[in-house]
Amino acid sequence: MAKDPYRYFRIEARELLDQLGKGVLTLEQDGAQSAPELVLHLLRWAHTLKGAARVVRQGEIANLIHGVEDLLAPLREGTAPLPRPHIDQVLNAFDQIELRLAALPQPAGAAPPEAAPGAALDGDAPQRIGRADVVEIDTLLEGLGEIGAELAAMRHAVASLGQERALAGTLASSGHGRAAPGEARLQQMHAGLERTLLAGLERVERELRQSRDAAERLRLAPVGAVFQMLARSVRDAAHSQAKQVVFEPAGGELRIDGAVLDLVQGALVQLVRNAVAHGIESPAERQAAGKHASGRIVLDVVRRGYRVWFRCSDDGRGVDLAALRRELARRGLAAGAAEDDDTAALLARLLRGGISTSASVTELAGRGIGLDVVRAAIDRLGGEVQVHTLPGAGTTIELGVPLSLAALDVLMVEADGQLLAMPLDAVRGAVRVTGGQAVRTADGAAVEFQGALLPLLPLNLHARTPPSHAWAQRALTAVVIGDAERRVALAVTRLRGIDCVVLRGLPGLAPADALVLGLYLDDEGNPRIVLDPEQLADTLAHRSLGQGQAPLRKPILIIDDSLTTRMLESSILESAGFDVALAASAEEALEMAERTDFALFLVDVEMPGMNGFAFVETTRADARLREVPAILVTSLDSPEDRRRGADAGACDYIVKSEFDQGAFLARIGELVP
């Protein structure tokens, strides 16, 4: 391919023009307040661009930017704002420079130049966000995935090499009593080769991960890349109608698939133009209505689940529903059910296009095609449009677009036997929960977090969720997710750190749990699950209820003066999912039984003070405790002792020397359902 003499000039010139364009729009919006410092930056950028143009012998570009310097130079003292005609001249110069950059000769075989941002403002074709070719990136990613798979196979081979070395050493030692000098030397060389291969594999895998991440991000574009063009559209539309409008974007750091952003930006241009033409009133009208003379258009971009939402709001007059009804009636059209209070049907009809409430046809309004363009673009993406309006207060239009790719910061957790990721923006914290910290409530297990009691649910992707008594009493890690209104704690095995992944959509025919937001590729190119935080709480809670999460079990009281026996019996029962309480004497047990309802007493016989026989007799004589079954667990094995236990009222008698854990748990299960 022939060398491109303008390669670096194009990159530098577009970066400088982007900074200059943003700066001039800020200068116009803020006025003289921030002028001195900002003007110095503008002049410095303009001077750099003029010098670069001279170097590559682009005299027309240099002359255009020199004219910009002449217009900006008088503002260095900050004594007066830049007049609107001068700002128009400056922005027009930037448009002309963009056109000349796009027209620079391309070497043979190079990709065609991108459309200039200024050119997009003169027609309806939106600017294409600068990004690499998608097909080429996908090919690159497939190749990197194949390399990852080969590296995984090599790592397994190296592991086998180590096992073979160990086996050879064992065989050599068993045959000679010790390895011969030559064999020992061979084993050392073998071990050195293994270490070298492993270290090399780790370096290559690390570099491969970084390369794949970089390649995937080439497909992504920051949403903020369209903000300057939208600000320019708002500015030009407002000036053409003698209105004052401030454009306030937010969420530009979100990175999404450039192909999606290409389609959405055309719809956004129509939205902001429509807001200026139909929504924002003239300064006189606004002041008469008690509003600030300058209108506001706010664009918020957020990711909710597997969609990105573009929310465009203005503080104008709102949709003229009466005029819309009159226009529909004049054309003999129906909104669906056009009663006076059926605003939703009227707005839905407006989105279908062909209807305008403007009294005259202008460059911005009057043909009824603006919102039709918006709807058509979103339909192509499989998205949705929502419109809300309030007379006198403004209109909000939301565009919800499914994501094919998006950069996502995630928290990696190990749960349900696998590695899972959840969006970091939904995580509110994490807490280590010991068995005693989990609280039993009527709705299941709960845990305290920042002064509030939160539902504690197991992070389990399988349809069957274990009952809370089977896991809530174990030490675990809980991840807290949610918002200010609702938070839940999810029990996981362990935390595995924070990462940034490229979220991918699920294959069209792949069955997926409602908890799954999308996929990402791990270091070996294998798909891994990203969880949907909006679905987690509802789905897991529903499953817990569906599995009959509880009538709550009463605890089992273990009564034994031996700490070892208490701990042994406690560990067996807790591992089986039972709640347990401990008492070191019969007297302590009776005090505890006055305060707490127990499902079962496990009682030692030989204890200081009241023995086990007397404890059982006492509870059988108590009207409240006589229904609680009691099992004697003792080292006494004579027929007389067994008979005495039965006479006292024990339902079973277990000899410690004959203890069988399976039979013990089976009997407990019969008595404590």
Side-chain angles (χ1 to χ4, degrees), residues 605-606 613 633-638 641-642 653-656:
V605 170
E606 297 177 298
F613 295 134
V633 182
T634 178
S635 57
L636 301 177
D637 190 23
S638 68
D641 291 323
R642 290 177 179 270
Y653 192 99
I654 297 176
V655 179
K656 292 180 180 179

Side-chain angles (χ1 to χ4, degrees), residues 221 223 250-257 260-261 264 268 300-311 378 381 383-384 398-406 503 517:
V223 172
E253 68 282 354
L254 180 64
R255 296 176 64 89
I256 66 175
D257 191 340
V260 173
L261 191 55
V264 170
L268 294 176
D300 287 320
V301 186
V302 297
R303 181 192 55 77
R304 296 200 295 266
Y306 198 59
R307 284 179 180 263
V308 59
W309 286 88
F310 299 82
R311 188 174 187 267
I378 301 306
L381 293 169
E384 60 180 296
E398 293 184 277
L399 312 181
V401 179
L403 292 172
S404 53
L405 292 175
L503 180 67
L517 175 63

Side-chain angles (χ1 to χ4, degrees), residues 256-322:
I256 66 175
D257 191 340
V260 173
L261 191 55
D262 281 343
L263 288 172
V264 170
Q265 68 172 329
L268 294 176
V269 169
Q270 293 294 339
L271 283 187
V272 298
R273 287 178 171 177
N274 198 71
V276 172
H278 294 284
I280 303 298
E281 310 95 331
S282 68
E285 290 176 300
R286 292 181 63 83
Q287 290 176 332
K291 299 181 179 181
H292 192 279
S294 295
R296 293 174 66 246
I297 297 177
V298 179
L299 177 66
D300 287 320
V301 186
V302 297
R303 181 192 55 77
R304 296 200 295 266
Y306 198 59
R307 284 179 180 263
V308 59
W309 286 88
F310 299 82
R311 188 174 187 267
C312 184
S313 302
D314 67 69
D315 64 348
R317 60 172 62 92
V319 175
D320 190 342
L321 298 176

Side-chain angles (χ1 to χ4, degrees), residues 104 125 224 244 395 453 563:
L104 288 176
Q244 299 173 13
T395 300
L453 198 61
L563 175 63

Side-chain angles (χ1 to χ4, degrees), residues 124 263 266-267 270 351 353 368-379:
D124 292 329
L263 288 172
Q270 293 294 339
L351 283 174
I369 62 173
L371 290 181
D372 183 43
V373 171
V374 173
R375 181 192 54 76
I378 301 306
D379 284 349

Side-chain angles (χ1 to χ4, degrees), residues 168-367:
T170 301
L171 292 175
S173 299
S174 63
H176 305 291
R178 59 184 179 83
E183 292 172 336
R185 175 60 180 165
L186 183 60
Q187 288 185 39
Q188 291 176 356
M189 294 176 63
H190 201 159
L193 176 60
E194 182 185 349
R195 287 193 298 271
T196 301
L197 287 173
L198 284 173
L201 278 172
E202 290 175 357
R203 288 193 298 271
V204 173
E205 286 175 342
R206 185 168 57 250
E207 293 295 331
L208 179 64
R209 169 67 186 271
Q210 294 174 354
S211 298
R212 188 173 64 236
D213 288 348
E216 287 183 321
R217 280 165 177 74
L218 285 175
R219 288 197 58 179
L220 304 176
V223 172
V226 304
F227 285 173
Q228 184 185 354
M229 181 188 66
L230 294 174
R232 178 71 182 277
S233 296
V234 170
R235 186 258 180 197
D236 290 348
H239 287 185
S240 71
Q241 294 204 334
K243 296 179 180 179
Q244 299 173 13
V245 186
V246 176
F247 177 64
E248 300 176 2
E253 68 282 354
L254 180 64
R255 296 176 64 89
I256 66 175
D257 191 340
V260 173
L261 191 55
D262 281 343
L263 288 172
V264 170
Q265 68 172 329
L268 294 176
V269 169
Q270 293 294 339
L271 283 187
V272 298
R273 287 178 171 177
N274 198 71
V276 172
H278 294 284
I280 303 298
E281 310 95 331
S282 68
E285 290 176 300
R286 292 181 63 83
Q287 290 176 332
K291 299 181 179 181
H292 192 279
S294 295
R296 293 174 66 246
I297 297 177
V298 179
L299 177 66
D300 287 320
V301 186
V302 297
R303 181 192 55 77
R304 296 200 295 266
Y306 198 59
R307 284 179 180 263
V308 59
W309 286 88
F310 299 82
R311 188 174 187 267
C312 184
S313 302
D314 67 69
D315 64 348
R317 60 172 62 92
V319 175
D320 190 342
L321 298 176
L324 181 55
R325 290 189 183 95
R326 289 194 299 270
E327 181 64 15
L328 288 172
R330 186 182 69 82
R331 298 192 180 194
L333 301 175
E339 291 83 3
D340 289 348
D341 61 346
D342 195 3
T343 302
L346 285 168
L347 295 176
R349 181 61 186 84
L350 186 62
L351 283 174
R352 288 161 55 187
I355 299 295
S356 177
T357 58
S358 178
S360 61
V361 176
T362 68
E363 181 183 352
L364 294 178
R367 300 188 185 277

Side-chain angles (χ1 to χ4, degrees), residues 11 23 61 64 82 225 260 295 298 355 442 622 631 634:
I11 297 172
I61 293 178
L64 284 166
L82 189 65
V260 173
V298 179
I355 299 295
D622 186 292
I631 296 178
T634 178

